[in-house]
Amino acid sequence: MIQHKSIIEFGIIGLGRFGFALAKTLADAGKEVLVIDNNESKIKQIRNITENAFVVGPLDKETLEDAGIQNCQTVIVCIGEKIDVSILTTLNVISMGVPRVIAKAISYEQGMVLEKIGAEVIYPESDMAIRLADRLISSSILDSIELTGDIAIAELKLTSKLADQTVVQANLRKKYNLNIIALEHDGKTTTDITPDIELRVNDKIVVVGKRVNIKKFEEFLTGIR
């Protein structure tokens, strides 16, 4: 196994359904991803998406270093089901000095231990339930992805509040400090956002910015404020 010395954006340990979907989504978004798993067939599958995919045996520190995990900016440990392996692997990654370590947990108790050793914890089933609830409750926010503690990407459905305005007239950057990164109209999506594009009712826009500003914009669209 060749050790990687260049910086890699994301490392993913474990290719269950969650890990595989995460790796594919990041790779499809153009991110560099390093993936390791002990299942050779899964690694063969993921190599269609990223060349940095390696079959490993035990997830000890030496094996992780050989794979180059220590060169990743963010590592996500996706081994929720095997609690002992999850905790020990997470501890090894943290001890290697990786700047950001995220670990999947399937129980509150497991999450507590992972947090105590210094990892960010995610509960995939719970997180998906919350995102679905947000979509059901909100009439404008269709989906959102948290990037950091206060920055998010959100997809919103436009209402009559912005009907027939151009991007420059709507001026979301000045009013809400939000940047439009994609727009969907009549089923067609563009990321080439020019000032003269006209906004229509029921168009979908994808914005990036602080969650508090996204919330203010959503309240404006729904007439709350």
Side-chain angles (χ1 to χ4, degrees):
M1 190 182 298
I2 299 173
Q3 183 172 332
H4 293 265
K5 293 186 178 179
S6 59
I7 298 298
I8 295 175
E9 286 181 275
F10 296 97
I12 294 176
I13 302 173
L15 281 180
R17 284 181 298 177
F18 177 75
F20 198 98
L22 182 62
K24 185 178 186 307
T25 303
L26 289 170
D28 287 349
K31 303 299 182 183
E32 189 176 11
V33 185
L34 185 152
V35 182
I36 64 175
D37 193 275
N38 60 7
N39 186 306
E40 190 171 350
S41 64
K42 289 180 179 179
I43 290 296
K44 283 182 178 178
Q45 276 184 280
I46 207 73
R47 279 194 183 134
N48 295 324
I49 300 165
T50 175
E51 293 180 358
N52 296 328
F54 303 101
V55 181
V56 300
L59 291 170
D60 53 34
K61 196 169 182 180
E62 185 178 352
T63 304
L64 294 170
E65 285 180 345
D66 285 346
I69 282 292
Q70 73 278 11
N71 300 314
C72 296
Q73 294 175 319
T74 299
V75 170
I76 306 97
V77 181
C78 307
I79 320 174
E81 291 76 15
K82 297 178 181 177
I83 295 174
D84 55 339
V85 178
S86 163
I87 292 168
L88 287 172
T89 303
T90 302
L91 187 59
N92 281 330
V93 174
I94 291 170
S95 71
M96 292 162 69
V98 172
R100 187 183 187 193
V101 180
I102 302 169
K104 171 188 168 184
I106 58 172
S107 70
Y108 177 73
E109 291 78 12
Q110 181 185 4
M112 286 284 286
V113 175
L114 290 167
E115 284 181 356
K116 283 187 180 296
I117 63 176
E120 294 178 42
V121 178
I122 51 171
Y123 301 87
E125 289 189 5
S126 173
D127 291 346
M128 285 304 297
I130 291 168
R131 286 178 64 183
L132 176 58
D134 285 344
R135 290 175 65 178
L136 294 172
I137 292 166
S138 170
S139 58
S140 293
I141 292 186
L142 303 175
D143 203 358
S144 66
I145 301 170
E146 187 173 299
L147 298 180
T148 66
D150 63 342
I151 304 295
I153 296 173
E155 181 185 18
L156 300 100
K157 184 166 66 175
L158 296 182
T159 66
S160 59
K161 290 290 188 77
L162 290 179
D164 303 323
Q165 292 188 36
T166 62
V167 168
V168 70
Q169 288 171 335
N171 205 0
L172 300 190
R173 185 174 296 176
K174 182 177 180 181
K175 292 178 181 176
Y176 299 98
N177 203 21
L178 298 175
N179 288 315
I180 302 174
I181 58 175
L183 173 71
E184 180 185 315
H185 176 71
D186 286 343
K188 295 180 180 179
T189 302
T190 180
T191 56
D192 185 17
I193 308 301
T194 57
D196 59 335
I197 289 180
E198 289 191 355
L199 305 174
R200 306 292 188 191
V201 174
N202 293 328
D203 280 357
K204 297 174 185 176
I205 64 168
V206 180
V207 298
V208 60
K210 289 188 175 182
R211 293 180 68 86
V212 64
N213 292 334
I214 293 172
K215 184 65 177 175
K216 287 177 182 176
F217 179 47
E218 183 215 354
E219 289 172 348
F220 164 74
L221 288 176
T222 54
I224 296 174
R225 54 187 297 163

